Amino acid sequence: LQKILILLHVTTCVIVGKTLMILFPNAMKRYILKQGEKSRMNTNPKFSYENWGPTFFSFEYLLFVLKVKWKRLEDEAYEGHPAPNTPVVTVKGEVRHLLDFMRDNRPLILNFGSCT
């Protein structure tokens, strides 16, 4: 049911976005560029709007957003429910699953941080 609701929501957003791009191309370009500022997409001079702007609200865009949102459904954790078995990448580049690291009855501790 959640996947169907996500499909309907994303499809509606893509249809509305594509329609607005056709009807109001300049206004949508300004809107998309403003969104690009938030993610700093437009700070690279070799990566102009013409390279990525028209891809918004395309069929490929729809499929990508659906894939990401559906994948996130599998990663949600709820108190009192089993932990999601999220794929992770080891230091050696191997794809494993989080619960592969469980050993006997010992708790699995995850430490999130960053190295800068």
Side-chain angles (χ1 to χ4, degrees):
L1 181 61
Q2 286 180 319
K3 284 188 175 184
I4 292 171
L5 292 174
I6 289 172
L7 172 67
L8 291 173
H9 179 259
V10 173
T11 303
T12 302
C13 290
V14 168
I15 291 170
V16 169
K18 191 65 162 180
T19 303
L20 290 173
M21 282 185 83
I22 293 168
L23 296 176
F24 309 104
N26 293 330
M28 286 303 289
K29 180 178 179 178
R30 285 192 306 272
Y31 173 76
I32 292 171
L33 285 171
K34 189 157 187 87
Q35 297 304 313
E37 286 175 11
K38 291 179 183 176
S39 64
R40 297 179 10 183
M41 283 176 61
N42 52 358
T43 57
N44 184 346
K46 295 181 182 178
F47 194 55
S48 66
Y49 172 82
E50 287 70 25
N51 293 352
W52 54 271
T55 65
F56 275 69
F57 309 115
S58 65
F59 184 69
E60 291 79 12
Y61 174 87
L62 170 72
L63 294 178
F64 176 76
V65 173
L66 285 175
K67 180 180 173 183
V68 169
K69 288 187 174 277
W70 285 348
K71 190 68 180 159
R72 286 186 182 163
L73 282 176
E74 299 169 11
D75 294 340
E76 290 185 21
Y78 300 99
E79 186 176 344
H81 291 82
N85 198 15
T86 305
V88 293
V89 179
T90 66
V91 176
K92 296 177 184 177
E94 302 166 338
V95 177
R96 307 266 306 270
H97 286 84
L98 190 61
L99 298 180
D100 293 344
F101 298 96
M102 292 287 296
R103 299 286 180 253
D104 302 320
N105 289 333
R106 296 185 314 180
L108 178 64
I109 299 172
L110 302 175
N111 184 8
F112 297 94
S114 64
C115 298
T116 53

mmCIF file of all heavy atoms in Angstrom, residues 56-79:
data_model
loop_
_atom_site.group_PDB
_atom_site.id
_atom_site.type_symbol
_atom_site.label_atom_id
_atom_site.label_comp_id
_atom_site.label_asym_id
_atom_site.label_seq_id
_atom_site.Cartn_x
_atom_site.Cartn_y
_atom_site.Cartn_z
ATOM 1 N N PHE A 56 14.836 17.152 -15.078
ATOM 2 C CA PHE A 56 13.809 17.187 -14.041
ATOM 3 C C PHE A 56 12.465 16.846 -14.664
ATOM 4 O O PHE A 56 12.127 17.298 -15.743
ATOM 5 C CB PHE A 56 13.734 18.575 -13.397
ATOM 6 C CG PHE A 56 14.714 18.762 -12.282
ATOM 7 C CD1 PHE A 56 16.073 18.839 -12.538
ATOM 8 C CD2 PHE A 56 14.290 18.862 -10.974
ATOM 9 C CE1 PHE A 56 16.985 19.011 -11.520
ATOM 10 C CE2 PHE A 56 15.186 19.034 -9.939
ATOM 11 C CZ PHE A 56 16.540 19.112 -10.215
ATOM 12 N N PHE A 57 11.706 16.044 -13.979
ATOM 13 C CA PHE A 57 10.355 15.654 -14.364
ATOM 14 C C PHE A 57 10.322 14.812 -15.640
ATOM 15 O O PHE A 57 9.297 14.717 -16.292
ATOM 16 C CB PHE A 57 9.439 16.885 -14.493
ATOM 17 C CG PHE A 57 9.487 17.776 -13.290
ATOM 18 C CD1 PHE A 57 9.978 19.069 -13.376
ATOM 19 C CD2 PHE A 57 9.085 17.309 -12.053
ATOM 20 C CE1 PHE A 57 10.047 19.882 -12.262
ATOM 21 C CE2 PHE A 57 9.152 18.121 -10.930
ATOM 22 C CZ PHE A 57 9.631 19.418 -11.045
ATOM 23 N N SER A 58 11.433 14.163 -15.981
ATOM 24 C CA SER A 58 11.461 13.224 -17.108
ATOM 25 C C SER A 58 11.049 11.844 -16.602
ATOM 26 O O SER A 58 10.910 11.616 -15.396
ATOM 27 C CB SER A 58 12.853 13.167 -17.720
ATOM 28 O OG SER A 58 13.771 12.617 -16.785
ATOM 29 N N PHE A 59 10.904 10.900 -17.533
ATOM 30 C CA PHE A 59 10.552 9.533 -17.150
ATOM 31 C C PHE A 59 11.680 8.904 -16.331
ATOM 32 O O PHE A 59 11.417 8.202 -15.350
ATOM 33 C CB PHE A 59 10.252 8.688 -18.398
ATOM 34 C CG PHE A 59 9.799 7.301 -18.078
ATOM 35 C CD1 PHE A 59 8.560 7.083 -17.484
ATOM 36 C CD2 PHE A 59 10.609 6.214 -18.348
ATOM 37 C CE1 PHE A 59 8.134 5.798 -17.168
ATOM 38 C CE2 PHE A 59 10.195 4.921 -18.041
ATOM 39 C CZ PHE A 59 8.953 4.718 -17.454
ATOM 40 N N GLU A 60 12.930 9.186 -16.710
ATOM 41 C CA GLU A 60 14.077 8.677 -15.961
ATOM 42 C C GLU A 60 14.079 9.236 -14.538
ATOM 43 O O GLU A 60 14.419 8.547 -13.586
ATOM 44 C CB GLU A 60 15.390 9.022 -16.665
ATOM 45 C CG GLU A 60 15.603 8.279 -17.970
ATOM 46 C CD GLU A 60 14.833 8.873 -19.141
ATOM 47 O OE1 GLU A 60 14.291 10.005 -19.025
ATOM 48 O OE2 GLU A 60 14.755 8.200 -20.182
ATOM 49 N N TYR A 61 13.727 10.520 -14.411
ATOM 50 C CA TYR A 61 13.621 11.173 -13.097
ATOM 51 C C TYR A 61 12.570 10.455 -12.250
ATOM 52 O O TYR A 61 12.800 10.146 -11.085
ATOM 53 C CB TYR A 61 13.254 12.642 -13.316
ATOM 54 C CG TYR A 61 12.967 13.435 -12.078
ATOM 55 C CD1 TYR A 61 13.994 14.057 -11.375
ATOM 56 C CD2 TYR A 61 11.672 13.604 -11.609
ATOM 57 C CE1 TYR A 61 13.738 14.814 -10.242
ATOM 58 C CE2 TYR A 61 11.405 14.348 -10.473
ATOM 59 C CZ TYR A 61 12.440 14.948 -9.800
ATOM 60 O OH TYR A 61 12.188 15.693 -8.677
ATOM 61 N N LEU A 62 11.419 10.166 -12.854
ATOM 62 C CA LEU A 62 10.341 9.461 -12.160
ATOM 63 C C LEU A 62 10.831 8.111 -11.641
ATOM 64 O O LEU A 62 10.642 7.773 -10.468
ATOM 65 C CB LEU A 62 9.148 9.259 -13.093
ATOM 66 C CG LEU A 62 8.045 8.327 -12.590
ATOM 67 C CD1 LEU A 62 7.254 8.988 -11.476
ATOM 68 C CD2 LEU A 62 7.132 7.918 -13.717
ATOM 69 N N LEU A 63 11.499 7.340 -12.508
ATOM 70 C CA LEU A 63 11.977 6.023 -12.099
ATOM 71 C C LEU A 63 13.018 6.116 -10.988
ATOM 72 O O LEU A 63 13.008 5.325 -10.044
ATOM 73 C CB LEU A 63 12.560 5.276 -13.304
ATOM 74 C CG LEU A 63 11.567 4.898 -14.398
ATOM 75 C CD1 LEU A 63 12.285 4.203 -15.537
ATOM 76 C CD2 LEU A 63 10.439 4.040 -13.856
ATOM 77 N N PHE A 64 13.918 7.099 -11.086
ATOM 78 C CA PHE A 64 14.952 7.261 -10.066
ATOM 79 C C PHE A 64 14.343 7.618 -8.712
ATOM 80 O O PHE A 64 14.687 7.015 -7.690
ATOM 81 C CB PHE A 64 15.955 8.339 -10.491
ATOM 82 C CG PHE A 64 16.981 8.630 -9.449
ATOM 83 C CD1 PHE A 64 18.030 7.751 -9.238
ATOM 84 C CD2 PHE A 64 16.895 9.766 -8.653
ATOM 85 C CE1 PHE A 64 18.982 7.995 -8.260
ATOM 86 C CE2 PHE A 64 17.836 10.019 -7.680
ATOM 87 C CZ PHE A 64 18.884 9.136 -7.481
ATOM 88 N N VAL A 65 13.429 8.573 -8.690
ATOM 89 C CA VAL A 65 12.804 8.988 -7.428
ATOM 90 C C VAL A 65 12.013 7.837 -6.813
ATOM 91 O O VAL A 65 12.071 7.600 -5.606
ATOM 92 C CB VAL A 65 11.924 10.247 -7.633
ATOM 93 C CG1 VAL A 65 11.136 10.585 -6.381
ATOM 94 C CG2 VAL A 65 12.777 11.429 -8.052
ATOM 95 N N LEU A 66 11.294 7.091 -7.655
ATOM 96 C CA LEU A 66 10.554 5.929 -7.138
ATOM 97 C C LEU A 66 11.502 4.906 -6.528
ATOM 98 O O LEU A 66 11.248 4.390 -5.436
ATOM 99 C CB LEU A 66 9.738 5.265 -8.251
ATOM 100 C CG LEU A 66 8.475 5.982 -8.679
ATOM 101 C CD1 LEU A 66 7.854 5.267 -9.872
ATOM 102 C CD2 LEU A 66 7.485 6.078 -7.541
ATOM 103 N N LYS A 67 12.599 4.628 -7.214
ATOM 104 C CA LYS A 67 13.568 3.647 -6.708
ATOM 105 C C LYS A 67 14.113 4.072 -5.344
ATOM 106 O O LYS A 67 14.183 3.269 -4.413
ATOM 107 C CB LYS A 67 14.714 3.502 -7.704
ATOM 108 C CG LYS A 67 15.768 2.518 -7.309
ATOM 109 C CD LYS A 67 16.865 2.450 -8.366
ATOM 110 C CE LYS A 67 18.006 1.591 -7.913
ATOM 111 N NZ LYS A 67 19.104 1.557 -8.880
ATOM 112 N N VAL A 68 14.471 5.350 -5.217
ATOM 113 C CA VAL A 68 15.019 5.855 -3.951
ATOM 114 C C VAL A 68 13.981 5.786 -2.840
ATOM 115 O O VAL A 68 14.247 5.309 -1.742
ATOM 116 C CB VAL A 68 15.556 7.294 -4.130
ATOM 117 C CG1 VAL A 68 15.883 7.925 -2.789
ATOM 118 C CG2 VAL A 68 16.773 7.297 -5.040
ATOM 119 N N LYS A 69 12.775 6.251 -3.126
ATOM 120 C CA LYS A 69 11.732 6.274 -2.091
ATOM 121 C C LYS A 69 11.314 4.860 -1.684
ATOM 122 O O LYS A 69 11.085 4.598 -0.506
ATOM 123 C CB LYS A 69 10.537 7.094 -2.555
ATOM 124 C CG LYS A 69 10.832 8.584 -2.576
ATOM 125 C CD LYS A 69 9.580 9.378 -2.865
ATOM 126 C CE LYS A 69 9.846 10.853 -2.736
ATOM 127 N NZ LYS A 69 9.780 11.324 -1.367
ATOM 128 N N TRP A 70 11.232 3.944 -2.637
ATOM 129 C CA TRP A 70 10.868 2.573 -2.304
ATOM 130 C C TRP A 70 11.978 1.914 -1.498
ATOM 131 O O TRP A 70 11.719 1.143 -0.586
ATOM 132 C CB TRP A 70 10.566 1.775 -3.557
ATOM 133 C CG TRP A 70 9.229 2.110 -4.166
ATOM 134 C CD1 TRP A 70 8.236 2.846 -3.602
ATOM 135 C CD2 TRP A 70 8.760 1.737 -5.451
ATOM 136 N NE1 TRP A 70 7.169 2.947 -4.462
ATOM 137 C CE2 TRP A 70 7.467 2.274 -5.608
ATOM 138 C CE3 TRP A 70 9.300 1.002 -6.497
ATOM 139 C CZ2 TRP A 70 6.711 2.087 -6.758
ATOM 140 C CZ3 TRP A 70 8.540 0.819 -7.648
ATOM 141 C CH2 TRP A 70 7.266 1.348 -7.773
ATOM 142 N N LYS A 71 13.222 2.209 -1.835
ATOM 143 C CA LYS A 71 14.349 1.641 -1.091
ATOM 144 C C LYS A 71 14.342 2.146 0.345
ATOM 145 O O LYS A 71 14.639 1.402 1.276
ATOM 146 C CB LYS A 71 15.661 2.005 -1.786
ATOM 147 C CG LYS A 71 16.839 1.284 -1.259
ATOM 148 C CD LYS A 71 16.740 -0.179 -1.616
ATOM 149 C CE LYS A 71 17.933 -0.925 -1.094
ATOM 150 N NZ LYS A 71 17.666 -2.341 -0.984
ATOM 151 N N ARG A 72 13.982 3.397 0.546
ATOM 152 C CA ARG A 72 13.932 3.961 1.896
ATOM 153 C C ARG A 72 12.861 3.304 2.752
ATOM 154 O O ARG A 72 12.974 3.277 3.975
ATOM 155 C CB ARG A 72 13.706 5.471 1.838
ATOM 156 C CG ARG A 72 14.940 6.210 1.401
ATOM 157 C CD ARG A 72 14.745 7.692 1.496
ATOM 158 N NE ARG A 72 15.930 8.385 1.021
ATOM 159 C CZ ARG A 72 15.956 9.647 0.676
ATOM 160 N NH1 ARG A 72 14.864 10.370 0.773
ATOM 161 N NH2 ARG A 72 17.063 10.200 0.260
ATOM 162 N N LEU A 73 11.815 2.781 2.123
ATOM 163 C CA LEU A 73 10.779 2.078 2.893
ATOM 164 C C LEU A 73 11.375 0.873 3.612
ATOM 165 O O LEU A 73 10.988 0.548 4.725
ATOM 166 C CB LEU A 73 9.654 1.591 1.971
ATOM 167 C CG LEU A 73 8.641 2.611 1.504
ATOM 168 C CD1 LEU A 73 7.668 1.965 0.533
ATOM 169 C CD2 LEU A 73 7.902 3.225 2.666
ATOM 170 N N GLU A 74 12.334 0.218 2.952
ATOM 171 C CA GLU A 74 12.952 -0.961 3.533
ATOM 172 C C GLU A 74 13.899 -0.609 4.664
ATOM 173 O O GLU A 74 14.238 -1.458 5.475
ATOM 174 C CB GLU A 74 13.728 -1.719 2.451
ATOM 175 C CG GLU A 74 12.861 -2.198 1.308
ATOM 176 C CD GLU A 74 13.683 -2.712 0.137
ATOM 177 O OE1 GLU A 74 14.903 -2.882 0.289
ATOM 178 O OE2 GLU A 74 13.087 -2.942 -0.922
ATOM 179 N N ASP A 75 14.354 0.629 4.707
ATOM 180 C CA ASP A 75 15.347 1.039 5.690
ATOM 181 C C ASP A 75 14.753 1.663 6.945
ATOM 182 O O ASP A 75 15.489 2.049 7.830
ATOM 183 C CB ASP A 75 16.323 2.034 5.061
ATOM 184 C CG ASP A 75 17.155 1.398 3.970
ATOM 185 O OD1 ASP A 75 17.264 0.161 3.959
ATOM 186 O OD2 ASP A 75 17.694 2.138 3.140
ATOM 187 N N GLU A 76 13.447 1.771 7.020
ATOM 188 C CA GLU A 76 12.841 2.411 8.179
ATOM 189 C C GLU A 76 12.891 1.474 9.386
ATOM 190 O O GLU A 76 12.660 0.282 9.272
ATOM 191 C CB GLU A 76 11.401 2.812 7.880
ATOM 192 C CG GLU A 76 11.319 3.958 6.883
ATOM 193 C CD GLU A 76 9.898 4.426 6.675
ATOM 194 O OE1 GLU A 76 9.043 4.183 7.539
ATOM 195 O OE2 GLU A 76 9.650 5.055 5.639
ATOM 196 N N ALA A 77 13.211 2.057 10.524
ATOM 197 C CA ALA A 77 13.268 1.288 11.768
ATOM 198 C C ALA A 77 12.184 1.805 12.713
ATOM 199 O O ALA A 77 11.948 3.006 12.802
ATOM 200 C CB ALA A 77 14.639 1.448 12.408
ATOM 201 N N TYR A 78 11.539 0.877 13.387
ATOM 202 C CA TYR A 78 10.487 1.233 14.328
ATOM 203 C C TYR A 78 10.792 0.576 15.664
ATOM 204 O O TYR A 78 11.228 -0.579 15.723
ATOM 205 C CB TYR A 78 9.120 0.765 13.816
ATOM 206 C CG TYR A 78 8.744 1.383 12.490
ATOM 207 C CD1 TYR A 78 8.933 0.689 11.305
ATOM 208 C CD2 TYR A 78 8.211 2.657 12.424
ATOM 209 C CE1 TYR A 78 8.595 1.242 10.088
ATOM 210 C CE2 TYR A 78 7.869 3.226 11.214
ATOM 211 C CZ TYR A 78 8.057 2.513 10.049
ATOM 212 O OH TYR A 78 7.725 3.064 8.845
ATOM 213 N N GLU A 79 10.547 1.310 16.729
ATOM 214 C CA GLU A 79 10.792 0.785 18.069
ATOM 215 C C GLU A 79 9.953 -0.465 18.299
ATOM 216 O O GLU A 79 8.757 -0.485 18.001
ATOM 217 C CB GLU A 79 10.455 1.859 19.109
ATOM 218 C CG GLU A 79 10.821 1.465 20.510
ATOM 219 C CD GLU A 79 10.565 2.564 21.523
ATOM 220 O OE1 GLU A 79 10.386 3.731 21.126
ATOM 221 O OE2 GLU A 79 10.544 2.245 22.720
#
